[in-house]
Amino acid sequence: MKILVCISQVPDTTTKIAFSDNNTHFNTQGVTFIINPYDEWYALVRALELKESGVATAVHLVTVGKADTEPVIRKALALGGEEAIRIDADSSDTYMVAAQIAEYARTEKYDLVLCGKESIDYNNGAVGAMLAQLLDVNYIGFATKIDVAGTEVTVNREIEGGEETNVCSLPLVISCQKGVAEARIPNMRGIMAARTKPLKVVPAAAISALTTVVSYELPPAKTGVKMIDAENMDELVSLLHSNAKVI
Amino acid sequence: MSVIVLAEHAQGIFKKKTFEALQYAAKIAKDLGTTVTAIAAGNVADSEMQGLGAYGAQKVLHIADARLNDFNARAYTKAIISAVQKESAKVIVGLHDVPGKSVIPQVAAGLKAGLVSGAIAYPDTSNGFVVRTSVFSGKAFANVSITSDIKVITVMPNTYPVVKGEGSATVEQFQVAFDDRDFSIQVKAVNKVTGTVPLSEAELVVSGGRGMKGPENWYVLEDLAKELGASLACSRPVADAHWRPHYEHVGQTGGTIRPNLYIAVGISGAIQHLAGVNGSKTIVVINKDPEAPFFKAADYGVIGDAMEVVPRLTAAVKKFKENN
Ligand SMILES: Cc1cc2nc3c(=O)[nH]c(=O)nc-3n(C[C@H](O)[C@H](O)[C@H](O)COP(=O)(O)OP(=O)(O)OC[C@H]3O[C@@H](n4cnc5c(N)ncnc54)[C@H](O)[C@@H]3O)c2cc1C
Ligand SMILES: Nc1ncnc2c1ncn2[C@@H]1O[C@H](COP(=O)(O)O)[C@@H](O)[C@H]1O
């Protein structure tokens, strides 16, 4: 069984968000990029566990992005996986990203594609579902547990207000979140090995983006907190009723 | 041409957020000079479907196939795509919730249509089709233009208050050519908490952090939540320590919520926590440390010990309700 793990690079969670060119571009100056946490902690680690337990035969990593994403995909390779593929395309539109990955995945015939539940920069939570549609396979979103026996996959997934267990056969696309695996820390051996692992650069397929960001905005600053005396909860309730109008 | 909406329901009862999606679609339909068609799948009573008229649906396409009583991403996707083709629809609206996120992006990909996920405002159709969404975990907004012919949007629940109007929708039976592969996922077990409003739909939320000291103290938050009719949430360390179930965990690695009122008790206000809650309309922070970062993101703050302040707040709410 061959697994493809979708890896996206995102700004570190503590990044101060700023925009340039008249608020049309995200200002990457001084920004540290990391592997999207859901992709790293859950999708990638679970794929590696399946390889280590002999269920999977190969784990490949794919990212859609320009050359500046290579340090992040190398970091992912330091955790494990035999090879990484970078599809040399812009990653600003979810359809574009999914369609680029689908083009590649189709030729390589992966049995299982794992991605994160969402990328923490654009928070779309869309690429996995799109990918499943484009590959014409089933999609299971928001997995919290994944087990594979032969070609049968058992997945626990989040539903509204609970969880359900699904059973399905391969091929399949699954988006991963908390519960699927425990985050790992790369060791020195992995970091050294990653340097010599193949990082294949694939030219972008002729696919155009279907959305463009016209402008960005920062939320208006909070006007300041109104402090209320801990003895006077009647005042808080009355403000929540008459000023905030929430109760 | 029409605006298509996936009308989510639970056991035949439409959810409040479905009304919100319909209302959102109705606004777009009005701007574009067309009407709204809802899609309802599985077992739903005609009267329930006709009732969608009060929220802006002119017509409901009902796929009465019993296999659709349970949610099924692949079959729902196929159903919506067939409806879009039948109606020559140009806009598709769904919800940015767990089912919506499994289906609507598939619809978009299948139709090769641009998608904006988690819209937080009505589209601006004055010059193209621009939709506002929140990005960088709530730290900014992006105005995104959809350039494809068909436009697809998932709406963040609780963005607009739902206003019930007049009218009744016509119900039309709709057949979709499913095949066996559309039902190849078997549901083996369902584990649902019943009795409470799902967090993503809750208008009022009471949330606790490590400052609560232990699960045995949660009763003060439960009492407050009960008095308010609120749902409970928690910070990540609380879920990690199994003080509370993981589905209550909000933040960057948990759920994202936008309630009208978020009361944070004993939570420091780390950036990763704020990422899940900073869309809340009003934030109350109760913390014993005046330097807690959460106060900077709050509308109302109370400095004090949770175990003393929260019961006092519960009593004040009770008194207020009795007098109003
Ligand atoms: C990549 C990443 C992702 C993360 N994702 C999330 C996430 O999704 N959600 C999340 O919540 N966190 C997340 N975290 C963790 C986050 O950084 C914080 O560590 C966490 O939110 C802190 O939880 P807390 O506020 O409950 O605990 P603490 O930071 O320990 O704060 C406890 C607070 O309680 C107050 N307090 C103590 N005693 C009392 C009392 N008696 N009465 C009143 N107040 C009291 C203290 O003053 C303090 O402010 C993430 C971290 C990382 C690195
Ligand atoms: N540029 C990208 N390259 C590879 N995978 C991606 C990319 N963007 C998103 N993904 C994958 O899709 C998931 C959901 O992303 P999104 O739909 O952008 O929220 C992520 O967790 C990744 O696994």
Side-chain angles (χ1 to χ4, degrees):
Chain A
M1 180 186 70
K2 278 170 72 181
I3 305 180
L4 182 66
V5 183
C6 302
I7 302 280
S8 64
Q9 85 155 24
V10 293
D12 182 79
T13 45
T14 54
T15 302
K16 200 165 157 41
I17 303 297
F19 303 105
S20 61
D21 304 327
N22 209 5
N23 285 332
T24 54
H25 287 89
F26 172 53
N27 187 349
T28 55
Q29 215 167 34
V31 173
T32 313
F33 284 95
I34 58 168
I35 312 169
N36 187 39
Y38 299 104
D39 311 354
E40 175 183 353
W41 303 344
Y42 311 125
L44 178 54
V45 174
R46 188 64 193 134
L48 297 174
E49 287 172 358
L50 290 169
K51 171 93 196 293
E52 286 153 8
S53 62
V55 178
T57 50
V59 174
H60 292 178
L61 280 49
V62 66
T63 195
V64 177
K66 295 297 197 179
D68 62 342
T69 61
E70 287 194 1
V72 162
I73 192 105
R74 281 257 180 246
K75 254 199 208 151
L77 271 176
L79 283 162
E82 290 77 55
E83 65 170 59
I85 301 102
R86 177 173 70 81
I87 305 176
D88 191 27
D90 185 54
S91 63
S92 59
D93 174 58
T94 41
Y95 175 78
M96 167 83 151
V97 169
Q100 294 289 354
I101 298 174
E103 283 292 318
Y104 183 80
R106 220 174 269 131
T107 58
E108 295 286 318
K109 304 220 181 324
Y110 292 98
D111 304 284
L112 180 62
V113 179
L114 297 181
C115 63
K117 91 161 186 183
E118 67 177 32
S119 54
I120 64 164
D121 49 0
Y122 290 96
N123 316 109
N124 294 304
V127 167
M130 286 188 167
L131 200 47
Q133 175 71 23
L134 295 169
L135 294 172
D136 192 23
V137 302
N138 269 311
Y139 174 66
I140 300 181
F142 304 97
T144 55
K145 188 169 186 281
I146 303 170
D147 283 312
V148 185
T151 59
E152 194 178 80
V153 190
T154 305
V155 183
N156 285 6
R157 71 170 186 100
E158 180 187 332
I159 56 172
E160 306 233 282
E163 231 176 58
E164 93 182 7
T165 305
N166 290 173
V167 178
C168 173
S169 53
L170 294 169
L172 191 63
V173 177
I174 305 175
S175 82
C176 304
Q177 62 169 336
K178 197 178 146 187
V180 160
E182 291 290 336
R184 288 183 182 180
I185 299 162
N187 57 29
M188 210 48 207
R189 190 139 56 87
I191 295 166
M192 298 304 287
R195 292 193 184 154
T196 55
K197 284 182 189 173
L199 199 169
K200 240 163 68 181
V201 179
V202 176
I207 293 157
S208 33
L210 305 176
T211 60
T212 45
V213 175
V214 185
S215 61
Y216 291 99
E217 277 167 55
L218 292 171
K222 283 260 177 193
T223 46
V225 49
K226 176 164 176 49
M227 298 308 289
I228 290 155
D229 183 42
E231 301 292 335
N232 197 354
M233 287 301 100
D234 290 332
E235 186 193 353
L236 177 58
V237 171
S238 133
L239 285 169
L240 290 177
H241 176 70
S242 45
N243 283 24
K245 301 191 170 29
V246 290
I247 58 174
Chain B
M1 207 188 122
S2 63
V3 179
I4 294 266
V5 181
L6 172 62
E8 285 182 27
H9 62 85
Q11 278 85 48
I13 306 297
F14 290 109
K15 305 175 179 187
K16 188 193 123 214
K17 54 185 177 178
T18 296
F19 303 148
E20 193 179 346
L22 284 168
Q23 177 178 297
Y24 186 93
K27 167 77 168 68
I28 300 175
K30 192 166 165 241
D31 287 352
L32 302 180
T34 176
T35 57
V36 174
T37 299
I39 301 175
N43 193 7
V44 199
D46 275 355
S47 57
E48 223 2 67
M49 290 186 282
Q50 285 156 359
L52 296 180
Y55 303 96
Q58 190 178 68
K59 180 163 82 181
V60 181
L61 294 179
H62 184 207
I63 309 151
D65 196 316
R67 292 174 298 182
L68 297 181
N69 285 347
D70 292 322
F71 175 78
N72 172 332
R74 191 179 160 96
Y76 277 41
T77 300
K78 198 180 231 183
I80 298 174
I81 291 177
S82 323
V84 167
Q85 283 156 353
K86 169 184 148 66
E87 298 263 309
S88 314
K90 288 285 180 260
V91 182
I92 298 132
V93 175
L95 284 159
H96 198 58
D97 61 0
V98 172
K101 282 188 258 189
S102 297
V103 173
I104 304 298
Q106 296 207 53
V107 172
L111 294 168
K112 209 173 170 212
L115 167 74
V116 173
S117 310
I120 52 164
Y122 290 121
D124 179 354
T125 53
S126 61
N127 182 13
F129 196 97
V130 178
V131 192
R132 192 178 175 80
T133 176
S134 99
V135 290
F136 299 106
S137 304
K139 287 192 268 182
F141 304 120
N143 297 310
V144 185
S145 165
I146 307 182
T147 48
S148 53
D149 181 33
I150 299 180
K151 282 116 173 112
V152 185
I153 305 170
T154 58
V155 185
M156 190 67 95
N158 218 9
T159 292
Y160 291 104
V162 175
V163 183
K164 189 173 177 180
E166 300 284 312
S168 171
T170 55
V171 177
E172 194 179 305
Q173 292 304 317
F174 184 51
Q175 305 289 336
V176 179
F178 294 117
D179 60 53
D180 289 348
R181 281 187 65 213
D182 298 327
F183 300 94
S184 51
I185 295 183
Q186 298 164 50
V187 179
K188 288 279 179 199
V190 180
N191 193 351
K192 236 178 172 166
V193 251
T194 46
T196 52
V197 184
L199 251 186
S200 64
E201 287 177 52
E203 291 180 3
L204 309 174
V205 174
V206 174
S207 185
R210 204 143 53 177
M212 292 306 297
K213 303 285 193 299
E216 67 281 6
N217 292 332
W218 237 262
Y219 71 93
V220 296
L221 300 182
E222 285 164 353
D223 288 350
L224 175 61
K226 197 160 169 222
E227 202 55 56
L228 282 169
S231 297
L232 286 164
C234 68
S235 69
R236 177 165 126 182
V238 164
D240 284 348
H242 303 292
W243 294 358
R244 300 297 301 176
H246 81 87
Y247 54 79
E248 283 186 8
H249 153 202
V250 291
Q252 188 192 294
T253 44
T256 305
I257 55 172
R258 299 170 64 80
N260 295 339
L261 175 62
Y262 184 71
I263 304 181
V265 186
I267 303 176
S268 57
I271 187 106
Q272 297 89 356
H273 183 84
L274 294 181
V277 303
N278 57 11
S280 309
K281 292 185 188 75
T282 298
I283 295 179
V284 174
V285 169
I286 300 173
N287 197 302
K288 70 167 189 193
D289 175 11
E291 302 296 320
F294 217 148
F295 284 122
K296 289 205 184 69
D299 299 285
Y300 301 100
V302 183
I303 299 163
D305 187 290
M307 298 309 287
E308 291 166 19
V309 175
V310 177
R312 233 178 267 149
L313 177 55
T314 308
V317 172
K318 189 164 187 205
K319 194 167 106 195
F320 171 82
K321 276 172 44 186
E322 282 162 7
N323 296 337
N324 282 273

